[in-house]
Amino acid sequence: METKKILYSGIQPSGAITLGNYIGAISNFVKLESQYNCLFAMADLHALTVRQVPADLRARTIQLTALYIACGLNPENNIIYCQSHVPQHAELSWILSCFSYMGELGRMTQFKAKSEKNSENINAGLFTYPVLMAADILLYQSDLVPVGADQKQHLELTRDIAQRFNGIYGDVFTIPDGYIPKVTAKIMSLMDPLKKMSKSDDPDSYISLLDSFDDIRRKLKRAVTDSDADIRFDPENKPGVSNLLSIYSALKNVSIEEAEKDFSGKGYGELKKDIAEVVVEHIRPIQEKYNMLMQDKAYLNDLLKTNAEKAQSIAQKTLRKVYKKVGLYQIK
Ligand code: ATP
Ligand code: LTN
């Protein structure tokens, strides 16, 4: 990994990968991959902050590996790997937790939202979630972190922790920049367009990249819109319609204005039908490639093994430096 800058991102294998994950995150990974040395993680340790069925978590981890590749990431040039295969993440996370404040962690909106949603299991991992995310990013001296808008606060915290640490010990960590697209950084739920589309919600509220085409058409047909019939982008007053226009503009790679023009004079029925076809045609080749990859589990497994080693060797360099700086005794 030389010359090019480092790009890092991760997705939790905590559910079906959604169109929100794709538009907000993965499609930007694909856009940026050739300009950077990239690492893309299956953030399985993060997924444990919410109770998981063990067999499902395992299966989803390999599915996400295949999906990253099926969506267009080059498995040879990028390090696509599993977070739990690199013990340095948990190790650095401990150190960084000693440089993170209860107050700042308590202000994280994702913590507040997930505590409300999982009120029977507000575990300490949910609270320290952003510290582990900071460790992920800082271990690789990452320059750029493409994420959806919901992760902006976590990124700012990562920068704060890194700056705090550097302030005490010198230049140990690269301070990462976020890459958050403006318009399509937050795809909303189909059932409640005031909430973000999330893979841990009701399946009718999201489109999974692995949904059948009939399901995609059905879900979009039932997507919540509003009572007037105007098709225009106005997230405040018309969140449902605006969300559909965002999806269309992202997948067709056209501006919102162009999207509005494409539907001028049309009704909601037509809007939903046309968008369903755009989604289906976009997802079709991804599913074809995914199905092919999933037939060769040995290939995926070998890739994870090689990449775990590559990631470990980079991560260990940073960790060694950190251990030394904070004063942990090193065996000679
Ligand atoms: P969960 O519902 O389990 O919290 P999630 O669907 O929010 O999961 P993550 O694994 O937390 O997914 O997120 C992976 C990436 O996808 C992040 O960069 C996140 O910002 C982005 N992302 C998630 N949901 C959306 C969305 N609705 N719109 C845009 N980007 C999204
Ligand atoms: N917390 C992220 C997933 C994630 C991540 C990361 C993203 C885990 N580690 C490092 C960017 C960089 C989320 O999207 N919920």
Side-chain angles (χ1 to χ4, degrees):
M1 282 206 155
E2 65 293 290
T3 56
K4 286 183 186 172
K5 289 193 165 188
I6 311 226
L7 180 150
Y8 188 96
S9 201
I11 295 183
Q12 304 178 76
S14 51
I17 300 306
T18 69
L19 199 58
N21 298 136
Y22 178 76
I23 294 174
I26 302 176
S27 66
N28 291 316
F29 305 170
V30 175
K31 221 178 281 166
L32 296 164
E33 68 165 343
S34 65
Q35 302 159 49
Y36 291 83
N37 283 324
C38 304
L39 295 111
F40 299 109
M42 283 71 79
D44 55 349
L45 295 175
H46 275 108
L48 294 179
T49 54
V50 173
R51 213 52 86 222
Q52 302 290 334
V53 176
D56 291 353
L57 177 60
R58 239 187 313 273
R60 283 198 226 101
T61 301
I62 203 76
Q63 286 166 2
L64 178 53
T65 312
L67 261 180
Y68 272 142
I69 303 170
C71 288
L73 293 178
N74 183 322
E76 306 300 325
N77 302 343
N78 303 304
I79 303 181
I80 296 172
Y81 78 104
C82 180
Q83 186 187 31
S84 66
H85 296 173
V86 181
Q88 287 85 354
H89 289 250
E91 295 177 273
L92 181 61
S93 184
W94 170 255
I95 307 278
L96 295 182
S97 73
C98 300
F99 293 84
S100 307
Y101 296 115
M102 303 289 284
E104 59 190 356
L105 293 176
R107 279 196 293 276
M108 295 293 115
T109 51
Q110 181 179 296
F111 170 67
K112 290 189 237 174
K114 289 211 171 177
S115 304
E116 260 171 48
K117 214 162 127 187
N118 304 284
S119 56
E120 74 305 334
N121 179 24
I122 306 179
N123 60 72
L126 210 51
F127 189 69
T128 56
Y129 180 112
V131 182
L132 178 60
M133 182 163 158
D136 297 346
I137 296 167
L138 300 178
L139 263 181
Y140 300 95
Q141 306 292 350
S142 313
D143 296 287
L144 194 72
V145 183
V147 281
D150 62 308
Q151 296 299 310
K152 187 165 184 260
Q153 208 185 16
H154 289 166
L155 257 178
E156 277 160 11
L157 181 69
T158 300
R159 290 167 58 92
D160 288 347
I161 296 172
Q163 270 154 353
R164 188 173 300 150
F165 194 95
N166 284 357
I168 305 172
Y169 300 105
D171 277 343
V172 177
F173 297 124
T174 301
I175 310 298
D177 285 319
Y179 179 95
I180 301 172
K182 267 181 237 98
V183 185
T184 47
K186 200 167 179 188
I187 300 299
M188 309 311 273
S189 155
L190 299 179
M191 289 169 70
D192 175 1
L194 296 175
K195 268 176 46 190
K196 125 183 145 127
M197 181 182 283
S198 166
K199 61 172 121 72
S200 44
D201 274 349
D202 184 322
D204 276 350
S205 73
Y206 62 74
I207 287 169
S208 156
L209 295 189
L210 300 177
D211 272 345
S212 74
F213 299 154
D214 283 347
D215 273 347
I216 293 174
R217 293 187 180 105
R218 180 182 56 80
K219 288 181 188 184
L220 278 165
K221 195 168 169 189
R222 291 170 53 189
V224 168
T225 43
D226 53 49
S227 52
D228 79 60
D230 228 13
I231 299 182
R232 73 190 142 83
F233 188 76
D234 178 358
E236 214 163 288
N237 299 306
K238 299 175 72 70
V241 171
S242 304
N243 190 38
L244 295 178
L245 287 171
S246 297
I247 294 173
Y248 179 87
S249 109
L251 296 184
K252 292 273 282 190
N253 205 8
V254 297
S255 69
I256 291 286
E257 293 73 32
E258 282 173 89
E260 283 177 322
K261 232 185 266 153
D262 287 352
F263 290 105
S264 75
K266 293 190 177 175
Y268 287 173
E270 223 170 329
L271 171 79
K272 290 173 168 182
K273 224 157 112 199
D274 286 4
I275 291 182
E277 291 320 305
V278 169
V279 173
V280 163
E281 287 320 312
H282 202 90
I283 284 183
R284 189 191 300 278
I286 295 177
Q287 287 195 3
E288 282 169 6
K289 183 137 191 226
Y290 169 84
N291 290 332
M292 224 169 64
L293 285 159
M294 287 299 279
Q295 279 170 20
D296 194 352
K297 296 262 174 53
Y299 165 74
L300 294 172
N301 193 65
D302 284 352
L303 185 73
L304 290 187
K305 184 157 181 267
T306 311
N307 287 350
E309 285 161 11
K310 284 189 192 166
Q312 281 169 24
S313 104
I314 307 169
Q316 187 54 29
K317 286 199 188 108
T318 302
L319 190 68
R320 194 178 305 126
K321 198 164 169 189
V322 168
Y323 274 17
K324 203 166 156 193
K325 289 280 186 188
V326 298
L328 302 181
Y329 184 81
Q330 320 268 297
I331 298 169
K332 283 159 190 117

